[in-house]
Amino acid sequence: MLPIKEIRENSARFKLGLIKRGLYDSDTDILEAVANPDSVRVPALDRLTDLDRERRDLLFRVEEVKRLKNEASKDIGRFKKDGKDTSEIISRMQKLGDEGKEKETRLKEVEDELDKLACVLPNIPADDVPVGRDEKSNRVLREHGTKIDFDFQPLSHHELGLALGMMDFERAVKVSGSRFVVLFDDLALLEWALMRLMIDLQMKRGYRLTLPPFLVNSASMFGTGQLPKFEADLFKCRDTDYYLIPTAEVPVTNLHRDEIMTASQLPVKYCSYTPCFRSEAGSYGKDMKGMIRQHQFNKVELVKFTLPEHSDTEHNALINDACAILETLHLPYRITLLSSMDMGFSARKCCDLEVWLPSENCWREISSCSNFGDFQARRANIRFRRDEGAKPEFVHTLNGSGLAIGRTLIAVMETYQQQDGSIKIPEALVPYMGKEKITGVNR
C-alpha cells in the first residue's frame, strides 16, 4: 500500500513512479512520458490527492462542528441560568448537528473510496528498474554456466516423462482437468529429492524452516497484495473466507502481521515448502503441453524481513541463495532485472532467475526474487522498533522462489537426458535418490 502522507508531501516522485507503471492517461510512449511527466496525467493519483484533500477538509470541519456545539451547549446553560431565551441557540445546535452528521457520512464515503483506491495502486519502482511495458525491456544482468551441446536431438521433458512411463497427463485430466500431472516412481522421487536438497541447502545458509497452512484468510491475501486486485487469479473455497495459497509468500509473510519486532531480530529469514495453487487466469492456450504452467505445483520459498537500510543488500543475498541451487545442480541460468511494467504488483524491484531448457532452446523463469520495500509491511502492519520506546517503523519484506520444484525437475530432466532416453541424476541428488540414473519402468 502506498503511503498517503508521503504522496501528499512528494507527489512528483509518486507520479513519476506510477507513470513508470503505465498508469498515465495518454498514448505517449512510456519513455517519453517518464522524460516529461508534466505532459501527462495520472488519473488515479489525481483522484487520490483530491480525496485526501477532501478528507482533511472534512476532518477539520467535523472537529470544528464539535467545538461549536460544545460552545453552544455551554451558552445554553448560561442563558438558562440568566433566564434568557435559548431558542436561537438550540436552533443553531440542531443545524450544527445536522451538518455534523452530513459531514461524518461524507467523511466515511471519502475514506472508503480512498482506502479502496490506495489498495489497488502498485508499488513504486526502484530508481534502477528499467522502464518498459513488457519483457522486451528487461535487462540481463549476468549468465552462469555452459549450455550443453548435445550430439543428438534432445527431447522435451514431457516426451522424456511419457517415454519413461513416469509422467501421466491423461489420467491427471481424468482426475482433475487440464494443467495437472501425475508423477510416478523415480520422477516422483526426483521431485521430493529436489525439495529436500533446496531445504537442506537454505537451512545451512541461515533460513529457518517453516511448514505453514496451505489455506489462508482474506486478510493474509490482502497483506501480501493478492487481494483485492487479483482475486480472479486465486482459488477460493466456496462460502468460506479461505483461499488456497498461490505461493508460501502469503502465509509466511503474514506470520508477523500486526506484530512489532525489534531491530536486533532482523533480518528474519524463512524457507518453506508448500504446494501452490493458481487459476492461471488470462493464460488460456499458453504453455498447455507439459508441466510449465500448472494449476498446482510445488515450490520452496524464501522470505525475509529486514531493516530498510539493509533491504538492497538482503535482496542481492536472497538472489544468490536461490542461484546456489542452480549452481549445485550445474544448471545454466541467467539473472534478469524486470522492467517497470513486467514486475509484480507489490514489488519495487524484481530479478528473475531463468534456467536454460534445451528442448525449447530458450530461457525459462524458475524464480522471481522481489524486494517489496515497505509496501507489504504497510498492508500487513509489520513493524519494528530500533530501540526500546522508539517509534515503530515498517520493516522491508523480500521473497523469492528457491526454487519452483516442478520447473527445476524439468530442467534436470532435459539437461541430464541421455541418448537412450535415460536421465543421469545430478551428483548432488544421488544421496537423496539412492541411484545415479533414471531408466524407466521397462528398462
Side-chain angles (χ1 to χ4, degrees):
M1 184 180 294
L2 298 181
I4 295 174
K5 181 175 182 293
E6 292 180 26
I7 292 175
R8 186 189 312 143
E9 296 170 350
N10 193 356
S11 60
R13 170 177 170 262
F14 286 90
K15 179 179 181 180
L16 180 61
L18 291 175
I19 291 173
K20 291 179 179 180
R21 286 289 201 167
L23 298 179
Y24 59 91
D25 188 14
S26 172
D27 294 329
T28 305
D29 177 77
I30 190 169
L31 294 177
E32 183 179 340
V34 168
N36 302 282
D38 292 339
S39 66
V40 297
R41 290 179 58 251
V42 180
L45 184 63
D46 292 343
R47 181 58 180 160
L48 187 144
T49 302
D50 289 344
L51 287 168
D52 178 52
R53 186 181 302 111
E54 184 179 359
R55 182 183 66 86
R56 287 183 289 128
D57 290 344
L58 286 167
L59 280 170
F60 177 82
R61 185 54 186 168
V62 165
E63 293 303 314
E64 181 71 5
V65 166
K66 289 179 180 177
R67 183 184 66 79
L68 292 173
K69 284 179 67 179
N70 287 336
E71 290 181 357
S73 180
K74 292 176 182 177
D75 288 342
I76 289 174
R78 287 196 299 269
F79 274 42
K80 285 184 176 180
K81 187 176 180 179
D82 296 338
K84 296 180 180 179
D85 182 17
T86 60
S87 58
E88 182 180 344
I89 301 176
I90 291 173
S91 176
R92 187 180 355 133
M93 280 192 69
Q94 289 174 339
K95 290 179 181 179
L96 286 169
D98 292 340
E99 182 187 356
K101 290 179 182 178
E102 178 186 333
K103 298 296 185 188
E104 287 177 355
T105 299
R106 177 57 186 160
L107 178 61
K108 178 66 166 56
E109 293 172 350
V110 168
E111 288 179 334
D112 286 347
E113 186 179 352
L114 189 61
D115 287 344
K116 288 177 182 177
L117 181 55
C119 289
V120 297
L121 290 178
N123 203 354
I124 301 303
D127 292 340
D128 59 343
V129 169
V131 176
R133 292 191 174 277
D134 51 36
E135 68 277 1
K136 295 177 183 177
S137 299
N138 295 347
R139 183 188 307 150
V140 177
L141 301 182
R142 70 175 188 267
E143 290 186 16
H144 184 278
T146 303
K147 303 167 190 172
I148 294 180
D149 186 15
F150 290 95
D151 56 7
F152 60 91
Q153 181 62 43
L155 299 178
S156 67
H157 70 279
H158 50 89
E159 291 171 326
L160 285 164
L162 292 173
L164 289 167
M166 299 180 183
M167 187 177 288
D168 196 324
F169 295 98
E170 290 186 6
R171 285 189 173 90
V173 168
K174 178 173 65 176
V175 170
S176 299
S178 62
R179 298 194 187 277
F180 290 91
V181 67
V182 179
L183 299 180
F184 294 93
D185 307 313
D186 284 347
L187 286 188
L189 187 60
L190 180 58
E191 178 108 355
W192 287 108
L194 286 165
M195 181 266 286
R196 283 300 310 274
L197 172 70
M198 294 174 190
I199 288 175
D200 288 351
L201 191 148
Q202 301 306 344
M203 289 177 67
K204 290 177 183 176
R205 297 171 82 90
Y207 287 83
R208 183 182 184 186
L209 178 62
T210 178
L211 187 61
F214 305 158
L215 288 169
V216 297
N217 54 34
S218 57
S220 294
M221 287 293 192
F222 176 85
T224 45
Q226 280 76 23
L227 289 178
K229 192 173 178 65
F230 301 103
E231 186 159 13
D233 296 325
L234 305 172
F235 285 113
K236 184 178 183 182
C237 298
R238 186 174 179 180
D239 299 327
T240 74
D241 189 41
Y242 290 135
Y243 292 82
L244 287 168
I245 60 170
T247 166
E249 167 199 347
V250 179
V252 176
T253 301
N254 280 277
L255 290 177
H256 293 287
R257 189 173 75 230
D258 295 324
E259 291 183 11
I260 300 177
M261 305 182 197
T262 62
S264 61
Q265 286 179 269
L266 302 172
V268 173
K269 301 163 56 175
Y270 294 111
C271 69
S272 179
Y273 156 76
T274 65
C276 304
F277 305 90
R278 300 185 183 179
S279 72
E280 294 296 342
S283 63
Y284 178 77
K286 187 177 181 180
D287 296 323
M288 292 300 294
K289 281 189 175 182
M291 292 174 56
I292 290 291
R293 197 175 299 274
Q294 300 273 282
H295 286 311
Q296 175 187 321
F297 59 95
N298 295 318
K299 187 149 65 85
V300 170
E301 193 78 355
L302 309 177
V303 175
K304 286 187 179 184
F305 303 83
T306 184
L307 294 169
E309 61 268 28
H310 296 163
S311 183
D312 290 334
T313 300
E314 291 293 344
H315 186 216
N316 290 331
L318 186 145
I319 293 169
N320 290 334
D321 292 334
C323 289
I325 299 293
L326 295 167
E327 292 171 17
T328 299
L329 294 170
H330 300 288
L331 295 173
Y333 71 89
R334 72 178 186 180
I335 302 175
T336 303
L337 177 60
L338 301 194
S339 68
S340 56
M341 291 182 65
D342 195 36
M343 66 181 182
F345 170 82
S346 298
R348 68 184 295 270
K349 185 175 181 178
C350 180
C351 288
D352 274 2
L353 307 189
E354 299 172 335
V355 69
W356 182 256
L357 292 188
S359 73
E360 298 184 17
N361 198 39
C362 72
W363 299 100
R364 279 285 195 170
E365 176 205 335
I366 199 166
S367 172
S368 287
C369 297
S370 299
N371 184 344
F372 303 108
D374 63 5
F375 188 83
Q376 290 182 332
R378 290 179 179 276
R379 299 172 75 97
N381 193 32
I382 307 170
R383 297 174 292 168
F384 74 99
R385 282 194 175 95
R386 294 187 181 273
D387 299 292
E388 187 175 350
K391 182 180 178 182
E393 302 173 48
F394 289 106
V395 303
H396 279 200
T397 62
L398 307 94
N399 90 277
S401 304
L403 301 161
I405 303 174
R407 291 197 177 188
T408 310
L409 180 142
I410 290 170
V412 167
M413 291 176 66
E414 294 198 4
T415 302
Y416 284 88
Q417 63 180 292
Q418 307 297 301
Q419 190 166 8
D420 64 359
S422 64
I423 299 169
K424 182 182 176 183
I425 295 171
E427 184 178 349
L429 291 174
V430 171
Y432 297 94
M433 294 287 294
K435 59 178 63 180
E436 297 181 352
K437 185 180 283 190
I438 296 175
T439 57
V441 294
N442 296 317
R443 293 181 184 274

